[in-house]
Each structure stands twice: as C-alpha cells, then as structure tokens.
Amino acid sequence: MAEIPSTARVVIIGGGAVGVSSLYHLAKAGWTDCVLLEKNELTAGSTWHAAGNVPTFSTSWSIMNMQRYSTELYSRLGAEVDYPMNYHVTGSVRLAHSKERMQEFQRAKGMGLYQGMNLEVLGVDEIKGKYPFIETHDLAGALYDPADGDIDPAQLTQALAKGAREMGAKILRFTPATGVSRENGEWIVHTEKGDIRCEYVVNAAGYYAQKVGEWFKPYGGRTVPMMVMSHQYVLTEQVSEIEAWSKEVGHKLPLLRDVDVSYYLRQEKGGFNIGPYEPNCKAHWVNPSDPMPDDFSFQLYPDDLDRIAEIVADAMERVPIVGSAGISRIINGPIPYAPDGNPLIGPMPGVPNAFEACVFTFGIAQGGGGGKVLAEWITEGCTEWDMWSCDPRRYTDYTDRDYCIEKGKEVYGNEYAMHVPWHRWPAAPDRRKSSVHDKIRELGGQMGAYNGWERANWFAKPGDDTSEEATHTWGRSGPWEQRIKEECEAVRDSVGVLNLPGFSRFWIQGEGADEWLRGFCTGALPKVGRMNLIYVSDKRGRILTELSCIRLAENSFVLITAATAQWHDGELIRNSVPEGVTVRETTAERETLIIAGPKSRELLAPITDADLSMGWLTHQHATVAGKKAFLIRVSFAGELGWEVHAENADMPAIYDAVRAGGAKPFGMWALNSLRLEKGYRAWKGDLSTDYSLLEGGLERFVKFDKPQDFTGKAALLAEKQRGVKKSFITLIVDAKDCDAPYMSTIWHDGKVVGETTSGAWGYRVNASIALGMVRADLAVPGTELEVEIYGERCRAVVQPDQPLWDPENARIRA
Ligand SMILES: Cc1cc2nc3c(=O)[nH]c(=O)nc-3n(C[C@H](O)[C@H](O)[C@H](O)COP(=O)(O)OP(=O)(O)OC[C@H]3O[C@@H](n4cnc5c(N)ncnc54)[C@H](O)[C@@H]3O)c2cc1C
C-alpha cells in the first residue's frame, strides 16, 4: 500500500477525469509535489460509465476554448505518455429543424473559426454525404464538426494518471479524504491512514462535491450549488449493415446530435449508443427519503426506459437502421449539475487557498481543459482564458437547495436548447426581490435575474405578447422592440427611472484606506466629495474589474460594482485590505434608482433638499420624498441624471414620488442600448481578463507615474513599450434583423481580425452598434470592416474614439 506523505503542495480530493487532469496539469506546470486522493478506484464516480463524447461545440467562448483544448490534448496524450487510448475523432453532425437553429450553427462556426477550427454548415442535401443512413425530409440543415469524437473515459483517466505519476505526482487509491482542518495558514487533509499538510486543497469530488464542500464551512465556505441528475444511454445490439459499412469505408459514422429533439446517437462498435436528455427528467438524492449514499462507487441507477422511450423512437425514425437492432444494455448514472450546467472551476468562495474543480456535467469533454484552468488558478493565480462562465463565485448565497434542483432539472431537460438573448429561463424565479418589486410588475415589468436580483428588462403594455414563445428569436424585433425604443426616447427627451437592486457595495474605512486603494487600482482616486471609475488589473495587465469609487472623506470610500461581481470583487477587496481598514458590505441593505433624462432635475427639485446644481461626478447626502438618500450625479444612460441610493425600507416612498413626478420606468435592455451609445463597457462582456487595460482603451485610467506598485504595472508598462496587439473600437454596423452578439467575428480583407464584445440597436443614434476588439492597426476611424452576425457578413465602420451620443458629454454635464 502506498505510503501517505505527510506534506504536499496541493491535495486533490477525487480521482475522476477532472481530478486526475488537474493533477496532470499541475505536474506539467512543474508542481509535482501534489497528491490526489481517491476513495475507491480511479474513475469510480461518474467517469467510468460516461459515454465519452468529446464535442467542441458551444456558443460560449470560454467553454469552446476548454473543449477545443481537450480535443487537442487527447489527440496527443496517448503518444505523449505511452498509454494506448481509444480516441475516435469521427466528426459530428448536429441537425437543425429551424432557421433559428441554423443561425446558432453559423454563430458557432464563426467562433470556431476564430479558435482555429473548421466547423462546416451543411445544407439539407449535404447531410447524407456525411451521414448516409439518415432521413432528412424535415430538416433545415446541419453543422459538421470535424474535431468531435469519443474517447474511452477510463483510458483517458488512466493515461492522465500515468503522465502525472511519471512527472512525480502521487495518486493514492482507496484513500478517502475524511475532512479538512486549518493550522498556521496550512490545510490538513485527513484520511484514515494519516494526515497530509498542504498549501492548497482542491474539491474535485464530482457528484460528492457538496458533501466535501461542507468541510470548508468553518473556514468561510458555502454549500456547493449543485444537484444530481440521472442520465441514461441505450446501447443496441450490433447492426450488420453498419458493421459492413464501417469496414468498407474504414471509419465509424460521425456522432449525430438531433438537438431539437434532444439526443445524441453514436456508433458503438457495430451498434449504436442513444443518449436522450429528456424533458421529463429525474433528479436523484434530492429528498431526505432518498439521501446520497456514502459510497456509490461503480454503481448505476435502475433502468428507466419509459422516460426516454419517445426520444429513442424518434432516433429510430431518423436513422431507421437503428430500429433494426434490439437494446442490449441501458446505462443510467449520476451527473452533477450546477444551476447553469457549467462546472465550478476556480477559487472556492470565501475560503483561502482552496479551489473547486467539480460539478462537471460534461467532464469528459471539458476535463482536459478544466484541468488546465484549475492548474493555472493555483500556479498562476489567473487563467489564460477569461473563465467567468465557470467561476464558482458567479453563484452567491441565493442558490438554495430548491433553486439548484429546479434549475438543474431545467438545464438538463433543455440541454441542447438555444440560448436566445430575449429569453428568460422560467424555473426558480424571484430569489431576491427589491422593495418595489410588486410595483414594477404592476407597471408591466418583464423581469430578469441579476445575481438572483429581479430587475425589469423591459416594460410591456397591455396586449403585448409576453409569452416565452415570442422570445425564441435571435432577431431584434419582437414585442419588446417598440417598448425599448419608447423607454430610450423617454430618457432622451424627458426622464426615466430604473430600479436597480443588488448593486454590490463595499464601504471602506480607516487610516490608510486611501494609500491601500492607490495600490489596489491602476488609476487615480477621486477627491473628497467626488467619484470616478477605478480599474483593477491582474498581474498580466488584464482587466479584472471596474468599480465606481465614491470618496466620502480622506479615508472613507464606497466602492460600487456590478451585481454579478458581488463575490468576485468582494473577495478581491477583502483579500487585499490591510489591517486597520474595514470593509462593510451593504449590498442587500440598500437599493438604487437610476433617474436619467433632461427633465430629471426638474423632477427631483420639488421632492428633494439636495443641491441639484452640484456638478457631474459629485455626491451628497440628502432627503428625497422625506427619506434619507445618497445622490450621485452620474448616468450610465448618458443623460443628465442621478443615482439615488437609499435603505430598502425607504425606497417605496422615493419610487412613488419619482413616478408621480412623471418618470417613465425603463428596463435593463434600454439601459444596455443607452450605454452602448456612450461606449460604456460592461463587466464580463467588454471588460474581461481576455483583454489588457491598454487593449481595452483604458489607458487614461492607468497612472504609470504614481509611486504605488499596483498589480499589473510592470506588465502594462512592458505592453505600452511593445505596443498593443488589439484595440478597443466602437462600430456602426449595417446590421439587418439581428444586432451583433458578443464574440461575433470581425473580418477585414478576407481575414478574421477581431471580435465584438457586445452589440445592440442604439435608438438615439438610430443605428446598430457593436463594441469590439480588432487588430491594432485597424482601429482607425473610418476603417471599413465586416461583422459576421449569425453567418451574415455586415459592413461595419470604425467610429472615432468618443461616445456616439453626445460626444462632448454636454447633456450629462447640463
Ligand atoms: C450516463 C452518462 C453519460 C455521460 N456521457 C458523457 C459524455 O459523453 N461526455 C462527457 O463529457 N460527459 C459525460 N458524462 C458526464 C461525465 O461522466 C462527468 O461529467 C465526469 O465523469 C465528471 O468527472 P469528475 O472527475 O468531475 O467526477 P467523478 O468522475 O464523479 O469523480 C469524482 C471522484 O471523487 C471521488 N471522491 C468523492 N469523495 C471523495 C473523498 N471524500 N475522498 C476521495 N475521493 C472522493 C469519487 O470516488 C470519484 O471517483 C456522462 C455521465 C453519465 C451519467
């Protein structure tokens, strides 16, 4: 039996594909003093029974990056570690039943091209050329992904394990971790065979991750947001026709996914593997009467063919030879789900030196890339690609048990659904409501969730179609279009109000707060009584976050940031403040109204004692409607305006008074359009660690000559000397029905030269706007480019480096 080492740099708990890939990548990075603990045999969790499909397809840039990397790794791994592996790169055919689905494919194709892949959109008459046995009469087309395939998950895990061991890392099988404790800034991982002291610990426990996560609660941890679904695939007997065909052509059939019906169909030796994601799905271990067993190693759930029979029958109609074979076996196993179906990879919220690499729903396809990302988090403190889509901190404390169950089932039952921009997934709404929520709903507010907080996206009028079906479009037009236009026009011509609960707020106080902030951010601090934007860089000079910095006194500041950034920025701040400086978070105690438009002063004057002549970027305490409030003269909408911050209990009276003064309610979608016209960036779209501050056009927020050695200073200085590769631009696009979504490719002279980071229609400038990044030499006003929007290349012109609307900011300063 292997000896338990008494120390290690990193201990990974869990020996599935993901844990072992994490170990392999740590060792690759030179961190060989790492130990992996597996309670049973490697692969005993979800990994051993996985179907092993390895797609690259995604409409998320980061997930596509991770999956693409996996395919590249798996192609070379067998030879690299000298371990034979069944990895079949068969290609895949993904079927479309609608025009909208074809648009989705076009989008993935564009993104794939940018990542160096050759996804191909097929017309109906081309499908049989790739997949001879299929019925195509009711299809709109397909997407062919040449890099798709399947791998034996056990062989993959063993190959990664061999590679890791040969580099010096240790794997201890049949060694369950039984708990953790912390002493003198180190972790102690307990096992029945002894303790291991380590610097870092990783929860890679797959569907057991919530159980393991509980151990970290005394050290600041939270309940891991997840649940467990049962997923089945059906193996058929051999089909002689397929065997003969494969023999003749020398390869397997491509993997087939009928995403609108919701299944994958794969050739498995001479037979088939059919894997449905059924809408009437089943969660496991979610009731007290059905608790998760302590050990489910190498076990399966009982078959439940009834649940998937309809989809299996559909597959048999689509590829009739499948129906000629009997069913030989059904595999029904557990898959963990986070509420959005993406894994948790990165810092464990609230806990020092602890990480998560768990809750993978597609851990075979994403395991290779996931291990790389996890290892980068530990060894570098940051990742090559922006990985917010998988960051554990994207979920804060609204994700209770019911939320996780309802969302997990919704994601599973819609595993292949399109994520159209106007659609709200309906499960588990209303986790956090503002004090005026009911008033907003009565006004027709169509809500969206922002870090669990309900905010209006747009306001419907009686008779508007607010059904889910109406939202199934990538296009601009829909029942909301006219309303967004009216809301933007009210802000332009008169005054509008938007209730924003959930702004993340941190009150920073104490001797030395100013000096700390100067070293924390890249730029200059505001004077007392004023506010400005500050940016935080990572060590590579890339954009970590943007905060509004409000200076109340020499050493008293309020930092305000996006709702979704609550735990990300909270942690960044708390982990960095020196002793003597206190951080008090008031996110849930206060709400904000954005009041914007040329008549906002007129509206406020009779209901406030504030000095409304105080200039842009000032702030003051005052009363509004007789209630205590804090007013900031700022406007994300780009008009004269104030943010009114107040205690939750006081907000209804203030809201009523503002409405009585004639403010038209507007929603987040109007705000998005308005901010684009001002070129204001949004976090994790335009502002992400995929870009440096200099690439992002934020040099005016970098104070190179200040004495403080802020994070990223050296990297930014070096980049400044070298010159940037990419530059931020604003484009006016000759878009047709659809505006540019994020990560639409930008073309010039037949080459891909950049990507959009956001886009929408601007109702004040009456044009389709996109923000984006292009090769630096093309960021010249007047340059003609093309933006590929759902497959259609649209002419686009680079705009001067100033807001499209009110370039002098005269309206804001009015
Ligand atoms: C039927 C089915 C088909 C699937 N098909 C695919 C597919 O085609 N493609 C794809 O990408 N994904 C597929 N999946 C999903 C895939 O199986 C998982 O996403 C993946 O295996 C997760 O890997 P993991 O390493 O995160 O977790 P796991 O494989 O579950 O590994 C976690 C490990 O942690 C260990 N562990 C737990 N607690 C402790 C402890 N206290 N101490 C030590 N060890 C501990 C467990 O024993 C386990 O081995 C499928 C799943 C199912 C059920």
Side-chain angles (χ1 to χ4, degrees), residues 13-19 37-39 44-47 49-53 175-177 204-208 212 215 231 233 264 331 333-335 360-365:
I13 301 169
V18 173
L37 301 176
E38 167 51 51
K39 71 197 282 182
S46 287
T47 296
H49 53 58
N53 304 332
T175 311
Y207 56 79
Y208 301 90
V212 169
W215 303 339
H231 174 58
Y233 58 80
Y264 54 83
I331 301 285
I335 307 193
F360 277 71
T361 293
F362 294 100
I364 310 307

Side-chain angles (χ1 to χ4, degrees), residues 20-317:
V20 180
S21 173
S22 302
L23 186 74
Y24 168 87
H25 282 92
L26 281 166
K28 269 251 138 176
W31 286 47
T32 52
D33 182 15
C34 300
V35 175
L36 181 145
L37 301 176
E38 167 51 51
K39 71 197 282 182
N40 196 281
E41 182 55 88
L42 293 182
T43 75
S46 287
T47 296
W48 71 277
H49 53 58
N53 304 332
V54 187
T56 65
F57 179 92
S58 178
T59 48
S60 151
W61 182 250
S62 45
I63 299 281
M64 187 186 257
N65 255 321
M66 218 167 39
Q67 296 180 165
R68 174 189 50 76
Y69 173 87
S70 292
T71 62
E72 291 164 4
L73 171 69
Y74 302 169
S75 297
R76 59 170 195 265
L77 185 66
E80 185 188 306
V81 304
D82 191 22
Y83 191 92
M85 260 200 308
N86 284 312
Y87 179 36
H88 309 113
V89 181
T90 58
S92 69
V93 175
R94 192 173 274 256
L95 304 177
H97 291 246
S98 66
K99 173 184 116 239
E100 287 76 20
R101 186 61 87 171
M102 288 297 274
Q103 287 176 297
E104 183 201 44
F105 291 174
Q106 289 286 2
R107 175 155 165 62
K109 178 189 162 192
M111 282 174 42
L113 185 71
Y114 205 3
Q115 293 199 10
M117 296 188 294
N118 283 315
L119 299 162
E120 217 179 304
V121 174
L122 305 177
V124 179
D125 52 350
E126 294 171 296
I127 298 174
K128 275 187 195 264
K130 300 280 187 210
Y131 203 102
F133 303 96
I134 192 169
E135 292 295 325
T136 59
H137 59 279
D138 55 348
L139 297 177
L143 181 74
Y144 180 68
D145 176 359
D148 208 326
D150 61 89
I151 197 162
D152 181 319
Q155 288 177 340
L156 166 67
T157 310
Q158 296 298 348
L160 289 164
K162 181 165 190 261
R165 282 193 192 103
E166 282 174 0
M167 286 184 274
K170 290 192 183 62
I171 295 178
L172 303 176
R173 294 146 53 235
F174 301 99
T175 311
T178 53
V180 296
S181 53
R182 206 161 156 74
E183 237 179 58
N184 303 327
E186 283 181 325
W187 287 107
I188 303 165
V189 181
H190 306 289
T191 80
E192 285 159 5
K193 303 172 190 170
D195 293 346
I196 310 177
R197 240 168 219 283
C198 59
E199 281 176 62
Y200 301 96
V201 60
V202 181
N203 179 355
Y207 56 79
Y208 301 90
Q210 203 170 60
K211 286 196 170 190
V212 169
E214 291 299 299
W215 303 339
F216 293 88
K217 278 195 170 158
Y219 309 100
R222 50 82 169 104
T223 303
V224 176
M226 62 171 288
M227 52 85 77
V228 180
M229 293 298 300
S230 113
H231 174 58
Q232 310 182 70
Y233 58 80
V234 173
L235 296 170
T236 72
E237 308 280 5
Q238 307 295 297
V239 180
S240 51
E241 227 174 320
I242 285 295
E243 283 182 299
W245 180 85
S246 269
K247 213 175 209 172
E248 189 191 324
V249 296
H251 58 81
K252 290 199 333 182
L253 277 167
L255 206 148
L256 188 75
R257 285 189 190 80
D258 198 339
V259 285
D260 292 316
V261 181
S262 195
Y263 65 86
Y264 54 83
L265 175 70
R266 194 178 89 201
Q267 182 181 342
E268 188 71 31
K269 300 204 174 77
F272 286 95
N273 170 337
I274 313 165
Y277 288 97
E278 67 283 12
N280 58 331
C281 51
K282 185 164 168 44
H284 267 276
W285 305 328
V286 291
N287 298 314
S289 59
D290 172 32
M292 179 186 281
D294 280 339
D295 196 345
F296 197 69
S297 300
F298 294 113
Q299 293 184 56
L300 294 172
Y301 304 128
D303 303 351
D304 188 357
L305 189 55
D306 284 354
R307 222 166 68 212
I308 54 173
E310 214 174 294
I311 298 183
V312 172
D314 196 292
M316 290 175 172
E317 276 177 38

Side-chain angles (χ1 to χ4, degrees), residues 787-806:
V787 178
E788 185 176 320
I789 303 179
Y790 302 109
E792 233 180 298
R793 293 212 205 150
C794 306
R795 181 178 165 271
V797 179
V798 179
Q799 301 299 303
D801 185 17
Q802 62 186 29
L804 293 171
W805 176 250
D806 185 24

Side-chain angles (χ1 to χ4, degrees), residues 502-506 545-548 559-563 565-566 569:
F503 248 154
S504 308
R505 286 185 185 76
F506 305 92
T545 194
E546 174 199 76
L547 305 119
S548 294
L559 301 181
I560 300 184
T561 170
Q566 185 187 3
D569 287 4

